[in-house]
Amino acid sequence: QVQLVESGGGSVQAGGSLRLSCKASGFNGYCMTWFRQAPGQRREGIASIDSDGATHYDDSVKGRFIVSRDNARDKSKNTLYLQMNSLTPEDTAMYYCAAAEYNDPCFSIELEMEYWGKGTLVTISS
């Protein structure tokens, strides 16, 4: 059974940084992604990485956020990361990790994701 558990959210001031983690138990498939949902907004995909290390970013985070992953042979130890720098109040949202076994190419497209975490809240103050 696949479980995704996010951590690392919190409250920081604008210009600061946070690093989110997503512990993926029972999963070492191809595509892992990050989404976020701001209050009153629809959920949007912001970053993705496949098992070969290829990454894609939404324009809203490109140059500020870095996605990475540990590809462990042990399915209980796969972890996805999101390093977030130069944060602004517009980055305030619930952040979710999501994954798909065979999604190629690996883009953060909501309907293509098979597994979801419950989210971690990021709040940026001005």
Side-chain angles (χ1 to χ4, degrees), residues 14-79:
S17 298
L18 280 174
R19 189 189 195 208
L20 306 184
S21 299
C22 174
K23 176 76 178 296
S25 302
F27 180 88
N28 63 355
Y30 187 71
C31 182
M32 299 188 79
T33 66
W34 286 101
F35 288 75
R36 68 183 179 185
Q37 187 169 20
Q41 304 294 319
R42 65 176 180 84
R43 189 156 53 185
E44 61 175 352
I46 57 172
S48 63
I49 183 168
D50 66 27
S51 56
D52 297 321
T55 59
H56 298 275
Y57 297 94
D58 185 78
D59 287 344
S60 63
V61 305
K62 195 174 295 182
R64 300 187 300 123
F65 291 10
I66 301 171
V67 61
S68 61
R69 65 187 280 183
D70 291 334
N71 289 327
R73 292 183 180 179
D74 183 346
K75 286 188 175 183
S76 68
K77 298 181 179 178
N78 235 350
T79 305

